[in-house]
Amino acid sequence: MICIDNSEWMRNGDYPSNRLEAQSDACKFICCAKTQSNPKNAVGILTMAGKGVRVLVTPTSRLRKMLAFMDGLNIGGEVNLAAGFQVAQLALKHRQNQKQQQRIILFAGSPVKQDKEVLEMIGRKLKKHNVDLDVVSFGEEDEGKAEKLEALVAAVNNSDNSRIIHIPPGARDLSDVLFSSPLFAGNGFAEAITAATVAAKAWPDYDFGVDFNLDPDLALALRASMEEEKARQEATAKKAAEEAAKHEKGEAQSTSQYVIMTENFSARRSKTENKAADQMDDNDLLQQPIAMSMDVSSSSIATRDMEADFEALELSVQDRCDRMLADQSFVSSFLAKLTRLPGVDPNNTTVKDYLASMRGQPEQKGENKEQQEDKKL
């Protein structure tokens, strides 16, 4: 765990460009060196000032995640070393790989307010839990700061596993001082940085515009970012290809299913239409003789009814005429009226014969009827 001092003292410009920026660059350098020495190494970061101790990153091996939280740190308040050590120890206790060695790197750029006895007690507690400690003291050396920090390191130290580094004001870069210090030499960091430098020189086409020898932390960060972006793009392209293939396969299946459904529907429709046409033809064939028979029957019935009515009417008229002619008073009255009509001459021979025939017709009919009955007998 790296404990960062972000108190108000970090605004001082005795390091380029100020203490916080110099400290941030040094932390990036340590993260790059640590992950370069062993890919399984995990680094966490926390701040000790402001409103309280704040864990920026829990122990992780993802360099990009570490570097993302190093920019834009807030400045304010005073450092609380006791709370910072307690939180750092708790974060190390819950690390994923329990076999990794526990180490705290403390950046102290402000005056130390805690007493020497308190720091010694903290040191003994860290030693009890097998936690190594490295202290980077920079900035103005106020009265008692160096003595307190050295007492803290002495309380933790066991077989030279802990050390303190003093960086005086005016140093060009904290990273350069730390690279040549026992902090890196004693933990295999120097070999890792040297190997990374050789690898960087073997890349003639490294086009980030960064000299690895001058700014190794930025070069390593850019390299890690490039590799992660490449992996992300490959994963995205692979996923897009799989989705495209799946989409094409789904479209082909949908098209084939649509064609099959259309063909089945057309076949069923044709079959239904043919069946309906056959039924209509059969019905038409059956209806034709029925209609013809109905028409013939209707016309025959109507003809018979008309003939019967005509015969009945004829008989009725004939019977009525016979009754009227049989009435002599009616015939006499009719003939008398007939002779009085204008233009009728009663003395005309033709008129007389007609009147005579009219008067004698019932009697002749009666004789003819009797003669016919005599002939039959």
Side-chain angles (χ1 to χ4, degrees):
M1 289 293 296
I2 300 177
C3 299
I4 297 177
D5 185 351
N6 61 327
S7 63
E8 291 288 345
W9 294 87
M10 297 302 103
R11 300 183 187 275
N12 293 350
D14 48 355
Y15 297 90
S17 58
N18 56 33
R19 293 185 182 183
L20 183 64
E21 291 293 334
Q23 184 181 195
S24 177
D25 292 340
C27 291
K28 292 178 182 179
F29 181 72
I30 293 173
C31 292
C32 293
K34 189 69 175 178
T35 54
Q36 186 70 24
S37 63
N38 190 339
K40 294 184 179 180
N41 285 342
V43 181
I45 304 172
L46 62 83
T47 56
M48 299 181 295
K51 295 182 179 180
V53 178
R54 179 187 175 191
V55 178
L56 301 180
V57 184
T58 57
T60 179
S61 58
R62 297 176 58 185
L63 178 61
R64 186 177 182 181
K65 185 176 181 181
M66 305 174 199
L67 301 179
F69 288 94
M70 297 306 300
D71 297 327
L73 296 176
N74 296 324
I75 298 177
E78 295 183 354
V79 171
N80 189 344
L81 287 179
F85 280 122
Q86 185 177 2
V87 174
Q89 182 183 352
L90 187 63
L92 291 173
K93 182 179 179 181
H94 293 88
R95 66 192 184 281
Q96 293 182 352
N97 189 355
Q98 295 293 326
K99 294 182 180 181
Q100 291 178 338
Q101 178 61 35
Q102 303 177 81
R103 178 174 294 275
I104 296 176
I105 299 177
L106 171 66
F107 282 87
S110 59
V112 178
K113 301 295 183 179
Q114 285 77 13
D115 295 335
K116 181 179 178 181
E117 292 76 12
V118 174
L119 294 178
E120 289 179 347
M121 183 178 63
I122 294 174
R124 288 192 295 270
K125 185 177 181 180
L126 294 176
K127 182 178 181 180
K128 180 180 178 181
H129 291 87
N130 298 321
V131 179
D132 300 338
L133 176 64
D134 291 323
V135 177
V136 180
S137 177
F138 63 100
E140 298 178 353
E141 293 289 344
D142 59 334
E143 183 178 357
K145 177 181 177 180
E147 182 182 358
K148 293 178 181 179
L149 293 177
E150 288 177 357
L152 172 64
V153 173
V156 180
N157 191 20
N158 183 16
S159 301
D160 198 21
N161 63 349
S162 301
R163 60 192 61 84
I164 183 171
I165 301 170
H166 296 280
I167 302 177
R172 186 177 66 87
D173 193 354
L174 295 182
S175 302
D176 293 341
V177 178
L178 292 177
F179 179 66
S180 59
S181 67
L183 176 65
F184 287 91
N187 290 280
F189 292 150
E191 292 80 359
I193 296 298
T194 303
T197 305
V198 173
K201 291 180 180 180
W203 300 340
D205 297 331
Y206 195 80
D207 55 354
F208 290 113
V210 178
D211 187 355
F212 191 88
N213 295 319
L214 296 179
D215 200 347
D217 53 345
L218 179 59
L220 289 173
L222 292 173
R223 180 188 176 188
S225 177
M226 180 185 68
E227 292 177 352
E228 290 184 4
E229 180 65 19
K230 184 178 179 180
R232 186 189 67 80
Q233 291 179 357
E234 291 177 354
T236 303
K238 183 178 179 181
K239 185 177 180 181
E242 292 177 354
E243 291 180 353
K246 186 177 180 181
H247 182 67
E248 291 178 357
K249 185 177 179 181
E251 285 185 350
Q253 292 179 354
S254 300
T255 303
S256 59
Q257 291 178 359
Y258 176 76
V259 171
I260 294 172
M261 291 175 62
T262 305
E263 291 177 353
N264 293 336
F265 177 75
S266 300
R268 290 196 298 269
R269 183 176 180 181
S270 300
K271 187 176 180 180
T272 304
E273 290 179 352
N274 294 334
K275 186 176 180 181
D278 295 339
Q279 292 179 355
M280 290 177 65
D281 293 340
D282 295 340
N283 292 332
D284 292 341
L285 294 174
L286 292 173
Q287 293 295 331
Q288 287 179 3
I290 294 173
M292 292 174 65
S293 62
M294 291 178 65
D295 292 341
V296 172
S297 299
S298 299
S299 61
S300 300
I301 294 171
T303 303
R304 287 197 298 268
D305 293 341
M306 290 176 65
E307 291 177 353
D309 294 340
F310 183 74
E311 290 177 357
L313 179 61
E314 185 179 4
L315 292 174
S316 177
V317 172
Q318 185 178 358
D319 184 57
R320 185 175 182 182
C321 291
D322 291 342
R323 288 197 302 270
M324 291 173 64
L325 293 174
D327 189 359
Q328 292 298 324
S329 60
F330 173 74
V331 173
S332 300
S333 176
F334 175 74
L335 293 175
K337 292 179 180 179
L338 184 61
T339 56
R340 291 195 296 271
L341 291 174
V344 178
D345 187 6
N347 298 321
N348 192 336
T349 305
T350 303
V351 175
K352 288 180 178 181
D353 293 338
Y354 180 73
L355 293 174
S357 63
M358 288 294 292
R359 289 189 180 93
Q361 187 175 2
E363 294 178 359
Q364 292 177 359
K365 279 189 175 182
E367 292 177 358
N368 292 334
K369 191 173 182 181
E370 290 176 358
Q371 290 176 0
Q372 291 175 1
E373 290 178 357
D374 291 340
K375 289 180 181 180
K376 290 180 180 180
L377 294 174

